[in-house]
Amino acid sequence: MNKKPMIIDCHGHYTTAPIALEDWRNRQVAAINNPSAMPKASELKISDDELRESIEKNQLRLMRERGSDLTIFSPRASFMAHHIGDFKISSAWASVCNELCYRISKLYPDNFIGAAMLPQSPGVDTATCIPELEKCIKEYGYVGINLNPDPSGGHWTAPPLSDRYWFPIYEKMVEYDIPAMIHVSTSCNPCFHTTGAHYLNADTTAFMQCLTADLFKDFPTLRFIIPHGGGAVPYHWGRFRGLAQGLKKPLLKDHLLNNIFFDTCVYHQPGIDLLNTVIPVKNVLFASEMVGAVRGIDPETGHYFDDTKRYIEASKILSDDDRFQIYEGNARRVFPRLDAALKAKGK
């Protein structure tokens, strides 16, 4: 493989948004029991210069330093907080967050492209998410969505991903040929630390829900990305293979790996190497979750934990062709709308 790959990061969140966004959200939450004080979307004032400052000093600076080209960019995951308020609250919040990411993609079209936050709310028909999903795909040019399998915030009151409850979203995913990153939000359950437990538990739980069901018989072209390296999945692959066998399911490579993909948000070399040993390269997408849950410098390496490109480059088990697939090829295949957008730009 002689072609230099485009480095596409499939897992980026707008974690550095101007403080005005958080202030607006705090006003919204404070007004849940006082509707007359509810802020309007028009009251959120953030200039393009403020957006540029928030990006150029943070995500874009690090992308340039680390040599990545394009980030699939979505609202901050821990800010989704679907358990707060009702659908109306979630709808307004998703709308303002998605619009900000869209504005970033317009300011930096070569560096960012959007993935939508959905206005989920516990116990509410998921069909209510469709208008925001369609707006983001049709008007904003977004290429995917984030789907929270636990809108209750760590209490897991929603049915499993195989349940018909989720089908309205899946039907639109198939119609628009978009994938979903299965990504929870903040945990309000003190038993589960948000980024150290809830995220990774949810990744593992989502995979197991798919393993025990026949969801992909109903939706053979449905595509899920399980972030953070798939939680426990690649590291207990024998357990999951054995469970599938005990449940009389097909081999996992036949049962799930046509539809489920894993990203590289695994912040140490042995983890990346194990991921790429166990999981076929065709199912691994480059990602960093940059300026996200893990922001510090690793004292063992002297580099940032989330500089995941270093781990891919240092891997002794990956060929140049493997790296091309992880960096670019798989993202184009899993995100067809991204591929179309890049081809339209001659990339």
Side-chain angles (χ1 to χ4, degrees):
M1 175 61 66
N2 296 319
K3 178 185 176 183
K4 181 181 178 182
M6 173 181 283
I7 311 300
I8 301 172
D9 187 335
C10 77
H11 188 168
H13 298 302
Y14 194 8
T15 57
T16 61
I19 192 65
L21 178 65
E22 184 174 357
D23 291 343
W24 188 94
R25 173 62 163 174
N26 288 338
R27 289 178 59 202
Q28 186 196 41
V29 173
I32 288 174
N33 295 318
N34 182 18
S36 64
M38 188 65 65
K40 298 177 181 178
S42 60
E43 294 174 30
L44 176 61
K45 305 292 186 182
I46 299 177
S47 69
D48 284 353
D49 284 343
E50 289 175 298
L51 293 180
R52 290 189 185 96
E53 183 178 20
S54 73
I55 288 294
E56 291 184 4
K57 290 184 176 180
N58 296 290
Q59 284 93 344
L60 190 55
R61 173 181 63 83
L62 291 171
M63 287 172 65
R64 289 167 173 164
E65 289 177 3
R66 299 175 186 181
S68 62
D69 298 302
L70 176 68
T71 296
I72 298 175
F73 206 50
S74 61
R76 184 175 176 180
S78 63
F79 261 27
M80 295 190 297
H82 293 120
H83 62 282
I84 293 177
D86 55 15
F87 171 74
K88 187 175 181 180
I89 295 294
S90 288
S91 181
W93 179 228
S95 180
V96 299
C97 289
N98 284 326
E99 184 182 17
L100 282 183
C101 289
Y102 170 63
R103 289 175 62 190
I104 294 292
S105 73
K106 295 294 286 183
L107 291 170
Y108 303 97
D110 291 331
N111 303 111
F112 298 95
I113 196 164
M117 166 184 170
L118 299 182
Q120 298 176 243
S121 189
V124 176
D125 187 341
T126 57
T128 57
C129 294
I130 302 308
E132 183 68 19
L133 184 157
E134 291 191 320
K135 179 184 73 176
C136 288
I137 300 300
K138 293 179 178 180
E139 298 180 24
Y140 293 171
Y142 279 18
V143 297
I145 62 172
N146 289 343
L147 181 64
N148 184 353
D150 173 37
S152 68
H155 294 290
W156 290 93
T157 59
L161 290 169
S162 56
D163 192 88
R164 296 190 65 85
Y165 171 77
W166 303 99
F167 281 19
I169 294 174
Y170 298 161
E171 288 164 359
K172 285 298 175 180
M173 288 173 60
V174 170
E175 178 182 347
Y176 293 117
D177 202 12
I178 55 172
M181 179 170 282
I182 307 300
H183 204 310
V184 289
S185 186
T186 192
S187 170
C188 57
N189 185 334
C191 295
F192 303 116
H193 182 276
T194 294
T195 55
H198 187 42
Y199 280 16
L200 304 183
N201 293 346
D203 302 334
T204 310
T205 298
F207 183 85
M208 193 65 198
Q209 289 178 358
C210 293
L211 186 155
T212 58
D214 293 313
L215 174 62
F216 302 121
K217 287 185 178 179
D218 292 318
F219 296 97
T221 63
L222 199 65
R223 297 183 301 281
F224 291 160
I225 300 159
I226 299 185
H228 319 113
V233 175
Y235 318 100
H236 290 280
W237 193 240
R239 175 180 291 265
F240 291 105
R241 287 175 56 235
L243 289 167
Q245 179 176 292
L247 292 167
K248 310 299 183 186
K249 297 294 183 182
L251 296 175
L252 288 186
K253 64 183 181 69
D254 300 322
H255 181 39
L256 297 180
L257 292 187
N258 290 324
N259 306 89
I260 291 181
F261 303 84
F262 303 84
D263 78 13
T264 63
C265 292
V266 182
Y267 300 134
H268 63 138
Q269 191 69 52
I272 287 290
D273 291 342
L274 192 150
L275 171 66
N276 286 294
T277 299
V278 174
I279 302 301
V281 165
K282 69 181 181 67
N283 290 85
V284 179
L285 279 70
F286 176 73
S288 69
E289 195 191 356
M290 194 165 54
V291 199
V294 181
R295 304 189 185 191
I297 292 176
D298 184 345
E300 295 181 4
T301 67
H303 301 290
Y304 284 95
F305 283 100
D306 64 3
D307 189 357
T308 50
K309 184 169 178 280
R310 287 184 174 274
Y311 309 130
I312 304 299
E313 293 299 313
S315 173
K316 293 181 172 58
I317 65 171
L318 295 173
S319 67
D320 287 346
D321 185 65
D322 291 337
R323 290 186 178 89
F324 179 85
Q325 294 305 320
I326 290 170
Y327 284 144
E328 177 181 350
N330 294 339
R332 285 179 177 267
R333 181 165 51 87
V334 175
F335 291 86
R337 285 178 172 267
L338 169 65
D339 185 49
L342 291 174
K343 287 178 177 176
K345 295 180 178 181
K347 297 183 180 181

